[in-house]
Amino acid sequence: MRKFLMIALNTVALISIAAVAFASDGANTYGDLVYFGAALGMAIAAAGCGIGQGLGLKAACEGTARNPEASNKITVALILGLAFVESLSIYALVVNLMLLTA
């Protein structure tokens, strides 16, 4: 539930600031608001990804401790999952860079 809440908050923050940024007629009428929104969106994305990676690592460590024979399968799944979680923060960075250059 927390993961869904973090994703929803990040999406709402990015969409609300993006709507303000892209609604202007080429002039940056909101000034520092866009920079604040980009920083806030990236902070939320980084926090959500950090929490997700920590929970994934915790579960992998517990799984390896319970069943050491399955450590190879757990490691492969862990690395793949961490890559997917990290890609979410990279997507947030790309959206924030688009906001800053618009």
Side-chain angles (χ1 to χ4, degrees), residues 23-76:
S24 64
D25 294 331
N28 190 359
T29 57
Y30 293 98
D32 295 333
L33 185 62
V34 174
Y35 300 121
F36 177 72
L40 182 66
M42 194 63 221
I44 292 172
C49 289
I51 291 170
Q53 286 179 347
L55 291 175
L57 184 61
K58 176 187 144 204
C61 288
E62 288 176 355
T64 303
R66 289 183 183 162
N67 190 4
E69 292 85 23
S71 65
N72 290 336
K73 290 182 180 180
I74 292 171
T75 302
V76 170

Side-chain angles (χ1 to χ4, degrees), residues 7-101:
I7 292 171
L9 275 168
N10 189 18
T11 304
V12 168
L14 288 176
I15 288 175
S16 64
I17 298 302
V20 170
F22 292 128
S24 64
D25 294 331
N28 190 359
T29 57
Y30 293 98
D32 295 333
L33 185 62
V34 174
Y35 300 121
F36 177 72
L40 182 66
M42 194 63 221
I44 292 172
C49 289
I51 291 170
Q53 286 179 347
L55 291 175
L57 184 61
K58 176 187 144 204
C61 288
E62 288 176 355
T64 303
R66 289 183 183 162
N67 190 4
E69 292 85 23
S71 65
N72 290 336
K73 290 182 180 180
I74 292 171
T75 302
V76 170
L78 172 69
I79 291 172
L80 188 62
L82 291 178
F84 287 144
V85 170
E86 190 66 31
S87 70
L88 294 175
S89 65
I90 293 171
Y91 292 146
L93 177 65
V94 169
V95 169
N96 286 327
L97 289 175
M98 287 173 49
L99 282 174
L100 293 175
T101 59

